[in-house]
Amino acid sequence: MARSVEFDQEAAIQKAMEVFRKKGYSATSMRDLTEAMQINSSSLYNTIGDKQELFVRAVQCYTDSRKRDLDERAAASTSALEILKNYIDYSVYNIVSETDGCMAVKMAFEVATSDERVKAVLKKDSDNQYEFIRKHIALAMEQGQIANDESPELLADYFLSTWSGWNESYILHKDVDKIKRMARYFIRQLSK
């Protein structure tokens, strides 16, 4: 009689996500994953599937948590500019304090160029980030908190590109003050 496979899949996927985030997709072995998830390989294959399927689910788990964070931030204040400032400050905090970096940024370069499912998950995440920023820039303009001499779409695109650059800069230079100065500059530019 076959043994039933019982484990908390969500918790296991969360643990796998941390391994992928730290090591990347290519450098992560099945052994790394099963050890972190505290399951045997047959349980993994029987419930979730192979490494690729687990990876897609781990990336989805990561981006789902980012979406929940955006929703919570949107509900946190009535001031669109304050929501944007808090988001930018939190982005800087994540860049300089997360030892393994942003999984979305890392995986966009490592895997999304060759895996359409991962690319679709990361594109949806990027679209969510963009829409959050665009919406709050537009609201801040309506509330008279920032000038409306540029389109919210352009400013949202600019921020996302800038934020990716901050990630790269921190990975290469590990200069916390540099990232904070760039964030303050961006906020000043918005606030003019």
Side-chain angles (χ1 to χ4, degrees):
M1 182 169 175
R3 202 176 113 212
S4 66
V5 179
E6 290 185 27
F7 64 93
D8 182 343
Q9 283 192 39
E10 284 186 35
I13 290 169
Q14 181 77 30
K15 290 175 185 174
M17 180 190 76
E18 293 305 325
V19 175
F20 284 127
R21 185 176 182 179
K22 181 177 185 160
K23 297 184 86 171
Y25 178 77
S26 299
T28 298
S29 70
M30 287 300 288
R31 184 177 189 162
D32 294 332
L33 294 167
T34 55
E35 285 179 4
M37 297 166 72
Q38 299 174 331
I39 61 172
N40 61 46
S41 57
S42 62
S43 294
L44 174 61
Y45 286 115
N46 290 334
T47 57
I48 296 173
D50 62 5
K51 176 182 169 183
Q52 179 61 25
E53 185 61 33
L54 176 59
F55 179 70
V56 172
R57 290 181 64 179
V59 172
Q60 185 67 59
C61 176
Y62 181 76
T63 60
D64 287 348
S65 70
R66 286 166 48 106
K67 177 68 169 97
R68 284 190 302 275
D69 178 69
L70 291 179
D71 293 342
E72 290 169 9
R73 288 182 183 289
S77 174
T78 56
S79 167
L81 183 57
E82 282 307 307
I83 290 170
L84 286 168
K85 286 179 180 178
N86 289 337
Y87 176 76
I88 292 166
D89 288 342
Y90 185 70
S91 296
V92 168
Y93 171 80
N94 278 338
I95 291 168
V96 301
S97 67
E98 295 288 332
T99 56
D100 298 320
C102 175
M103 185 176 187
V105 171
K106 288 170 73 173
M107 295 308 111
F109 291 102
E110 182 184 357
V111 182
T113 57
S114 60
D115 186 304
E116 288 301 317
R117 290 190 310 160
V118 172
K119 182 178 179 179
V121 171
L122 293 176
K123 182 183 180 312
K124 182 177 179 185
D125 177 64
S126 178
D127 291 347
N128 288 336
Q129 302 288 322
Y130 168 84
E131 185 53 29
F132 173 85
I133 296 163
R134 187 211 59 77
K135 175 184 173 186
H136 287 91
I137 289 173
L139 285 171
M141 288 176 176
E142 288 174 18
Q143 294 170 352
Q145 297 172 321
I146 62 177
N148 61 359
D149 53 349
E150 296 292 346
S151 75
E153 295 78 13
L154 173 65
L155 292 173
D157 280 331
Y158 181 75
F159 174 74
L160 286 176
S161 296
T162 300
W163 179 81
S164 292
W166 295 350
N167 274 282
E168 177 187 346
S169 178
Y170 189 72
I171 289 168
L172 296 175
H173 304 285
K174 297 293 187 210
D175 188 338
V176 173
D177 290 333
K178 181 179 186 177
I179 304 303
K180 289 180 177 180
R181 283 192 311 272
M182 288 188 287
R184 286 192 299 268
Y185 177 79
F186 184 77
I187 291 170
R188 279 196 312 273
Q189 295 308 305
L190 273 182
S191 303
K192 284 185 173 183

